[in-house]
Amino acid sequence: DAKTTQPNSMESNEEEPVHLPCNHSTISGTDYIHWYRQLPSQGPEYVIHGLTSNVNNRMASLAIAEDRKSSTLILHRATLRDAAVYYCILRVFKAAGNKLTFGGGTRVLVKP
Amino acid sequence: DAGVIQSPRHEVTEMGQEVTLRCKPISGHDYLFWYRQTMMRGLELLIYFNNNVPIDDSGMPEDRFSAKMPNASFSTLKIQPSEPRDSAVYFCASSFSPGTGTNTEAFFGQGTRLTVV
């Protein structure tokens, strides 16, 4: 399975944007880039996903490099409730399975 | 839909006892995942099912662990006999895959916190 690399932690000030990088240099053509986050004492929750083009939703934006070897999750205005561990995951859809494997993630601290 | 439902939320058991964790996926979802989370090892994928059939159980730590999915609305993860090192939070998740080349989000339950003393 293709691996992802993320910084262990990042800090941000409230109301400021947060850019979370993810490297996935061994990504294959069928791998989707997924982001999940895990708030304290909760199960992971979906944030966003994409294949090739940049994606936006109400929670965040996903910027994907042209060669797809890296991506960046953008939280436009961090709030205290955004403090969580953010996971970048490669998920391949194929007839033999649709695995979802988590790495170490980036712990985001938001300062008031 | 009430989301993915796991039971119990907390379980405390003595070493050597059998433990059964339960999961009800979201109706209509065809994938079900079991995870274990500890501080040391993070979120580990134990096993996942597609249409009630186990696809990959390579993450199951040893023979003491077993998982079943007798129908589309219910799955169990059993540990027999349990050991203190099995103490962790166990998550169940489900997702729907509408077709080849399409990818959708997975929904997680609130988890079961297992303590083996």
Side-chain angles (χ1 to χ4, degrees), chain B residues 28-47:
Chain B
H29 282 192
D30 56 347
Y31 279 87
L32 184 138
F33 306 83
W34 280 102
Y35 294 87
R36 177 174 68 176
Q37 186 171 37
T38 61
M39 289 292 293
M40 291 295 294
R41 301 175 70 91
L43 262 169
E44 302 174 275
L45 176 63
L46 300 178
I47 185 172

Side-chain angles (χ1 to χ4, degrees), chain A residues 33-70:
Chain A
I33 302 160
H34 281 243
W35 284 83
Y36 283 75
R37 73 178 185 180
Q38 187 173 20
L39 303 172
S41 302
Q42 294 190 25
E45 65 174 347
Y46 168 83
V47 177
I48 200 167
H49 78 275
L51 184 60
T52 56
S53 303
N54 294 344
V55 185
N56 299 294
N57 66 22
R58 63 175 179 82
M59 290 182 71
S61 295
L62 176 61
I64 301 173
E66 197 169 332
D67 62 5
R68 300 210 325 129
K69 293 186 177 181
S70 65

